[in-house]
Amino acid sequence: MDAESTMSTFLGLAKWLRLALAGENLVSFGQSLLQRAADDPHDSAALLDSSIVLQCLGNLEMGLQLQREALGQQRHYRIPATSPARLRLLALMAPGAIMANVPVECLLDGRDIDLDLYYVSLDVPDPAEIPEHDLLFVAIGESEANRPLLEAWTPRLRDWPRPVLNDPRRIVEVARDRACRRLQGRPGLVVPLTARLDRSQLQAFAGGEGGSGLDFPLLVRPLDSHAGQGLTKVDTPEALLSVLDTQSSRAFFVSPFVDYRSPDGRFRKFRVVLIDGQPFAVHMGISDHWMIHYLNAGMNASVAKRAEEADFMASFDQNFAHRHAEALAAIHATFGLDYLGIDCAETADGRLLIFEVDPAMVVHDMDPIALYPYKPAAMRRVFNAFRALLISAAMCRLPGLRGTLQDV
């Protein structure tokens, strides 16, 4: 077991993300953390916190370097409950950028759950490194970088002495090129087939060679990109070659573009989470452009957009979730994950258009209440459901049972 009494204070993602979204200048915080690490070279918590701060400031490379230094010293970090703890949750995390993992800290912020983060590697862990816990949650998101970790931990978790949520064998199935095939033909769903192609294959396709079955317009994105980074719509072979000239990635996901414009000419993108199979609204972005990321949809500047999102969240169970109940149930049945995020839209014929399924989507309650007074109630429903899932899973064993983990 870790020498937890000697662990320095780790504040974690929720703290820094909340400050960043509130418009706080994180530079001084980052400088203070770096000074703390300089004063005590063994203060790995200061290094890991500074890594998160630098990523929030847009300095990914330096942030990941500090993360490597922190994890070189210690892989276990604790965020204690803010009230008497109901249980102790161990979240398995992957090294990498913020979006590499489920933002479990944001889901539990201010909750009565002790949270232990353990950053995994391909090596077999020393049982003494694994903190005591009542429940284990695999917070590792699916990606090219994370897949070896998920595969390495699959046999290790098979006979784990505590309940396990989000089986890694199921997480690997949400990869874009796998998920679309698994969801083909499911009721109420439109899921464009996604192909994984390398640079030479795309160049050949643009030159009229090969039988890929693709046709323009296409969406092209670098492997493992998120939040629209590098995502481009191409309408011609020339445009495809131009995109390849501007991208350094060696492999890409390619799929047909589906025009999901609403009758008023705008595009609407929804984020939903399934918690133990039950759907919950996270947000709704409305934009004049097909590529919607919530932060670029102009929600802050539009009273009308926020009013529509407020109605979406308030009537979610009666309207959206009811309309798409069969489709959402099919997604849950297909992947069987205890916690899963969905980015989607509605087609003109009323079906659910799936962009992505991924447990590691950003979910939080940190938007300014003055602009979004309707969000706290909706997000409390998400957080309460997640807490209920944890407690229910932990109670599969005898309440309060904490045996030895030395057989892990």
Side-chain angles (χ1 to χ4, degrees), residues 18 62 71 151 169 197 242 244 300 321 336 343 351 367 377:
R18 187 176 297 279
M62 180 61 73
L71 300 185
E151 292 171 351
R169 293 172 298 179
L197 301 176
S242 178
L244 293 177
N300 282 4
D343 274 350
R351 290 181 293 170
D367 293 303

Side-chain angles (χ1 to χ4, degrees), residues 215-236:
D215 198 7
F216 295 101
L218 293 172
L219 294 179
V220 180
R221 73 170 72 232
L223 217 62
D224 286 348
S225 70
H226 294 281
Q229 294 179 354
L231 175 62
T232 308
K233 176 175 171 283
V234 295
D235 298 304
T236 65

Side-chain angles (χ1 to χ4, degrees), residues 13 91-93 98-107 117 137-141 166 171 339 358-361 386:
L13 174 63
L92 296 188
M93 309 283 285
I98 288 172
M99 294 186 69
N101 300 288
V102 177
V104 63
E105 299 161 61
C106 299
L107 295 170
L117 307 177
F137 178 76
V138 182
I140 303 168
N166 269 21
I171 295 174
Y339 177 87
D358 181 3
M361 292 178 180
F386 187 69

Side-chain angles (χ1 to χ4, degrees), residues 211-290:
S212 63
L214 297 173
D215 198 7
F216 295 101
L218 293 172
L219 294 179
V220 180
R221 73 170 72 232
L223 217 62
D224 286 348
S225 70
H226 294 281
Q229 294 179 354
L231 175 62
T232 308
K233 176 175 171 283
V234 295
D235 298 304
T236 65
E238 293 75 19
L240 176 56
L241 289 174
S242 178
V243 167
L244 293 177
D245 286 341
T246 62
Q247 297 282 353
S248 61
S249 179
R250 291 181 295 180
F252 300 82
F253 283 128
V254 184
S255 61
F257 172 75
V258 176
D259 191 342
Y260 63 100
R261 198 186 321 256
S262 300
D264 66 356
R266 284 181 160 173
F267 297 89
R268 288 162 172 82
K269 180 180 174 182
F270 310 93
R271 177 161 294 178
V272 174
V273 290
L274 297 178
I275 301 176
D276 200 19
Q278 183 178 354
F280 296 88
V282 175
H283 65 229
M284 171 189 186
I286 307 166
S287 176
D288 295 325
H289 194 272
W290 63 267

Side-chain angles (χ1 to χ4, degrees), residues 182-183 185-189 274 324-336:
R182 295 200 63 187
L183 291 173
R186 298 285 183 167
L189 290 173
L274 297 178
H324 300 294
E326 188 176 24
L328 293 168
I331 293 171
H332 178 63
T334 298
F335 298 104

